[in-house]
């Protein structure tokens, strides 16, 4: 998969940018705050429909503007695909080859990207929640069903928590409801855990090889 073209309009500090010559490896050089990270962020935004740096899409729109657009031409095994993602106060709209996608999840996966930024060392150093978020971002790009179960899980969890808040003193009445939520939580949770385990197993194979290459095969026990 290659990105042939990238276009930004009113995106962060870019008023208009059109890039159409990429190599296999690309170095982006610039002064502090010139927009290097913004450029990489835009690519990840195209892959995920959201930023890794903020949950507020509004921040992606240039100050003083009312909309932003990120577009790209991506070359895949079976031809090129045009990606078009637009942000405005009405929300976001995603098009593939000019066709608006009904659900953003149908757009996710058209471009696959893995971000590695200094703060990503938290994946190793940080709490398990950081690692789960990383897995969610990566698996979600290649398996739409994963995103579905993740969304359902989160929905059920919110509803179950609401029920628990109301349950004080009337546990018996709500026990049946709770059981239904529990069942659903387990159903989606099992799917999520299974997919995470499969993914980690694959990652481990790669990681072991790279690790052996760095350390000459020596492994520490912690
Ligand atoms: N919504 C926005 N509208 C306009 N400018 C923005 C917006 N959001 C961020 N910026 C600007 O983008 C700049 C930061 O860009 P970025 O983080 O990509 O810099 P960088 O080149 O990665 O810098 P560094 O070398 O420090 O990492 C800042 O000047 C900031 O004011
Ligand atoms: Mg930066």
């Amino acid at each position: 998969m290659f990105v042939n073209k990238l276009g930004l309009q009113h995106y962060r500090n870019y008023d208009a940018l059109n890039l159409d010559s990429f190599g296999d490896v690309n170095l982006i050089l610039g002064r502090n705050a010139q927009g290097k990270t913004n450029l990489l962020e835009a690519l990840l935004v195209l892959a995920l429909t959201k930023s890794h740096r903020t949950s507020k899409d509004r921040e992606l729109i240039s100050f003083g503007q009312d909309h932003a657009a990120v577009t790209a031409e991506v070359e895949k095994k079976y031809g090129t695909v045009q990606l078009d993602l637009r942000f405005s106060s009405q929300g976001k709209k995603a098009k593939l080859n000019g066709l608006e996608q009904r659900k953003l999840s149908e757009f996710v996966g058209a471009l696959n990207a893995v971000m590695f930024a200094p703060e990503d060392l938290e994946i190793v150093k940080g709490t398990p929640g950081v690692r789960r978020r990383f897995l969610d971002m990566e698996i979600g790009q290649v398996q739409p069903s994963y995103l579905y179960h993740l969304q359902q899980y989160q929905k059920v969890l919110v509803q179950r928590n609401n029920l628990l808040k109301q349950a004080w003193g009337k546990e018996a009445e709500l026990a049946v409801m709770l059981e239904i939520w529990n069942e659903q939580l387990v159903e989606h949770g099992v799917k999520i855990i299974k997919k995470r385990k499969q993914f980690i197993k694959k990652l481990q194979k790669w990681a072991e090889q790279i690790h052996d290459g760095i350390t000459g095969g020596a492994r520490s026990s912690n």
Side-chain angles (χ1 to χ4, degrees):
M1 182 181 292
F2 290 97
V3 175
N4 290 334
K5 291 181 186 166
L6 177 68
L8 304 180
Q9 198 196 11
H10 304 325
Y11 184 89
R12 294 244 192 219
N13 64 331
Y14 292 93
D15 189 32
L17 176 81
N18 287 299
L19 293 177
D20 59 6
S21 85
F22 290 96
D24 289 345
V25 176
N26 301 279
L27 295 180
I28 301 159
L29 308 177
R31 293 188 303 277
N32 284 353
Q34 206 173 359
K36 303 179 295 290
T37 303
N38 290 346
L39 189 65
L40 295 180
E41 177 193 41
L43 278 167
L44 195 73
V45 163
L46 264 189
L48 302 175
T49 71
K50 54 188 173 201
S51 167
H52 67 298
R53 288 203 289 191
T54 174
S55 56
K56 297 188 191 105
D57 291 339
R58 179 75 194 79
E59 290 178 20
L60 306 180
I61 303 174
S62 299
F63 303 143
Q65 299 292 341
D66 62 359
H67 75 282
V70 187
T71 56
E73 182 185 290
V74 177
E75 193 178 320
K76 302 178 89 163
K77 229 190 241 168
Y78 307 106
T80 57
V81 186
Q82 308 289 338
L83 284 82
D84 185 316
L85 187 61
R86 273 155 211 275
F87 298 89
S88 72
S89 53
Q90 274 96 55
K92 44 196 162 189
K93 280 195 173 139
K95 285 185 190 169
L96 283 178
N97 288 332
L99 284 180
E100 187 166 337
Q101 303 297 297
R102 213 166 42 87
K103 290 186 193 158
L104 288 172
S105 57
E106 285 162 4
F107 184 85
V108 177
L111 170 65
N112 298 133
V114 178
M115 174 69 127
F116 184 78
E119 54 270 25
D120 288 333
L121 284 177
E122 281 298 301
I123 294 170
V124 182
K125 293 190 195 169
T127 55
V130 179
R131 284 184 278 284
R132 284 196 291 269
R133 208 170 75 91
F134 166 75
L135 290 177
D136 292 348
M137 279 201 305
E138 304 311 325
I139 307 173
Q141 288 186 54
V142 286
Q143 292 186 25
S145 64
Y146 182 81
L147 273 188
Y148 168 77
H149 289 298
L150 206 58
Q151 281 162 355
Q152 294 301 313
Y153 184 91
Q154 278 153 359
K155 237 190 235 169
V156 173
L157 191 63
V158 169
Q159 282 162 332
R160 184 179 179 275
N161 284 346
N162 285 341
L163 185 78
L164 284 175
K165 278 183 210 147
Q166 300 162 14
W168 195 251
K170 35 185 177 170
E171 287 86 351
E173 283 166 55
L174 296 174
V176 180
M177 282 297 287
L178 194 62
E179 205 173 307
I180 295 171
W181 291 132
N182 283 347
E183 266 174 30
Q184 291 194 22
L185 209 60
V186 170
E187 184 196 323
H188 297 295
V190 165
K191 295 259 168 51
I192 293 167
I193 291 172
K194 267 192 180 162
K195 285 178 191 287
R196 281 182 182 161
K197 273 190 153 174
Q198 286 167 357
F199 189 79
I200 289 171
K201 223 174 162 181
K202 281 189 192 165
L203 269 191
Q204 199 165 1
K205 263 194 200 156
W206 290 93
E208 273 174 10
Q209 281 177 16
I210 295 168
H211 187 268
D212 287 351
I214 297 171
T215 64
R219 302 231 172 113
S220 86
S221 55
N222 51 27

